[in-house]
Amino acid sequence: MSTPVNRLDRRAVVARLLKDRGEAIVVTGLGSPTYDVAAAGDHDRNVYLWGAMGGCAVMALGIALARPDTPVIAVTGDGEMLMGIGSFATIAMQAPKNLTVVVLDNGLYGETGGQASHSVVADLAAIAGASGIADARAIDAMGDVETLAGRATALGNGPCVAVVRIEQAELERVLPTRDGHAIRARVRQSLGLSID
Amino acid sequence: MNALHPQALHASPAGWPGDIFSALKTAGVRQVAYVPDGGHAELIRAVHADPAMVAIPLTTEEEGVALVSGAWLGGDRACLLMQSSGVGNCINMLSLVRNMGGPFLTFVTMRGEWGEFNPWQVPMGTGTPDAFRLMGVHVLRADRPEEVGPATAAGIRMAYEGGSAVAVLLAQQLIGAKVFVK
């Protein structure tokens, strides 16, 4: 167990990741990742989750399998990912080339009062790797975020999981819509599908 | 096929699992998520063997609720196969379906309701219809083989044409109680 000295600014990470997102669909895990993605700019292809904890990465898998030519990015937190940890193996079994799971890991449960997250002992990148995800990265530097952005907004050779060590500071909340039906309609419309 | 799909050469199922399979095919269902289950074994084999379908084994049932919701957002029709013991795992995740809307379709093989040897299956078997209703999922049920086709057709129509959340419960009499001791 080690504490990296260079923890990154979560908003800067997400903003850089999505700067040239192109056609990518982005699914956000409830809590701060939803605010981070909203802070980077609202978008027709943002799927904001405000609940369904543990479901972010595997929901993104469902989209990725339905749209194999469109990059799909799940942006979630360490706590949310731990609750759906089995989805690493589920994703590995399907091996979609267009799915990147970005775990913003601050080592604590920020939404609920800052209790220590299991990620202070559990290495999420190693778990993803051991679950069968060949491209599982731990990221401590903005340069690597830039490389990740290139991977996440394009099609790769298989799924990618990137665990980004971020600062623990609680930032101002940027609240996107909580209307799931509106989000559904907007995303489907942007994909050229009927809204219902 | 390959190591991930060892049963892929199995033929299409007959009987009621075949009725579900052909109805899913006709409806254009592409993603079929499942938690391994003896009652669904034939259907699962058929999905793996069909090149037009994607069989998605899950590590736990709630993954399937999120995956099916994502599939539909992306433009695929999808469904979830599970056992009654897994329904309780889905409760919170069904808030996703409530908030984003359907379709949501699941086929549930029932345990713990008819001649069940294992008492640990009985609470969730008994609670399954109420658990679904608690979260706004409409419940259909088939007790006999000839009821599976019509229940499946009704569920498919309500889900994919009406956007509803629907569970089709497949009675334990269809599958038979598991025998542990002889």
Side-chain angles (χ1 to χ4, degrees):
Chain A
M1 157 165 128
S2 66
T3 307
V5 284
N6 291 321
R7 284 181 176 271
L8 300 173
D9 177 277
R10 60 188 309 148
R11 295 274 158 90
V13 166
V14 173
R16 177 62 197 89
L17 185 70
L18 301 181
K19 187 165 71 113
D20 303 309
R21 60 185 283 173
E23 300 292 298
I25 301 166
V26 179
V27 185
T28 73
L30 84 166
S32 297
T34 288
Y35 317 144
D36 296 336
V37 170
D42 193 27
H43 195 283
D44 283 353
R45 295 192 175 190
N46 284 354
V47 182
Y48 302 114
L49 297 183
W50 284 86
M53 190 157 187
C56 176
V58 79
M59 184 180 188
L61 172 64
I63 301 174
L65 293 174
R67 317 287 304 187
D69 298 325
T70 306
V72 180
I73 308 169
V75 180
T76 189
D78 48 315
E80 211 267 352
M81 198 65 240
L82 282 156
M83 197 175 269
I85 201 79
S87 50
F88 282 150
T90 297
I91 290 166
M93 287 279 270
Q94 298 302 319
K97 300 178 191 314
N98 56 331
L99 176 61
T100 302
V101 178
V102 179
V103 183
L104 302 172
D105 181 6
N106 61 0
L108 52 79
Y109 293 97
E111 281 290 300
T112 54
Q115 302 88 350
S117 151
H118 300 67
S119 73
V120 299
V121 294
D123 182 337
L124 286 168
I127 294 169
S131 301
I133 303 211
D135 185 352
R137 321 173 181 188
I139 290 181
D140 290 301
M142 277 309 280
D144 294 334
V145 174
E146 209 153 313
T147 310
L148 174 65
R151 163 65 189 90
T153 55
L155 305 181
N157 298 317
C160 171
V161 170
V163 180
V164 186
R165 273 72 168 255
I166 54 155
E167 287 173 354
Q168 299 191 327
E170 201 175 339
L171 303 177
E172 182 200 351
R173 294 182 177 186
V174 177
L175 308 180
T177 179
R178 282 166 292 175
D179 186 338
H181 294 272
I183 293 165
R184 171 194 72 184
R186 192 167 73 153
V187 170
R188 281 183 56 97
Q189 217 160 15
S190 86
L191 294 170
L193 301 166
S194 69
I195 60 170
D196 62 355
Chain B
M1 299 283 282
N2 60 47
L4 292 182
H5 306 296
Q7 320 100 323
L9 297 177
H10 196 270
S12 288
W16 63 264
D19 293 341
I20 298 175
F21 180 69
S22 56
L24 294 178
K25 287 289 294 173
T26 304
V29 175
R30 181 160 175 272
Q31 297 188 35
V32 180
Y34 68 91
V35 175
D37 167 44
H40 278 313
E42 286 182 67
L43 179 55
I44 290 167
R45 277 192 286 267
V47 172
H48 271 292
D50 192 317
M53 295 174 127
V54 186
I56 305 157
L58 308 168
T59 66
T60 179
E61 290 81 1
E62 64 264 43
E63 285 183 350
V65 178
L67 184 126
V68 162
S69 297
W72 179 77
L73 263 191
D76 268 358
R77 287 183 170 184
C79 73
L80 168 61
L81 312 180
M82 64 175 151
Q83 196 177 81
S84 51
S85 51
V87 173
N89 294 346
C90 298
I91 291 287
N92 178 53
M93 201 61 79
L94 285 166
S95 62
L96 182 56
V97 178
R98 285 290 288 274
N99 277 280
M100 295 194 96
F104 174 74
L105 180 62
T106 182
F107 294 88
V108 182
T109 56
M110 296 301 294
R111 293 283 309 271
E113 65 167 12
W114 183 269
E116 176 66 59
F117 165 79
N118 183 353
W120 294 63
Q121 292 283 352
V122 175
M124 211 47 240
T126 306
T128 285
D130 287 339
F132 276 131
R133 289 181 185 127
L134 190 65
M135 294 307 286
V137 178
H138 183 74
V139 176
L140 301 171
R141 183 179 170 92
D143 285 294
R144 295 194 301 276
E146 63 271 23
E147 293 171 350
V148 174
T152 300
I156 281 175
R157 185 157 185 212
M158 290 178 78
Y160 302 127
E161 293 175 33
S164 296
V166 182
V168 179
L169 307 188
L170 303 163
Q172 192 163 17
Q173 291 104 303
L174 284 167
I175 299 126
K178 204 176 211 173
V179 178
F180 289 92
V181 287
K182 291 186 178 176

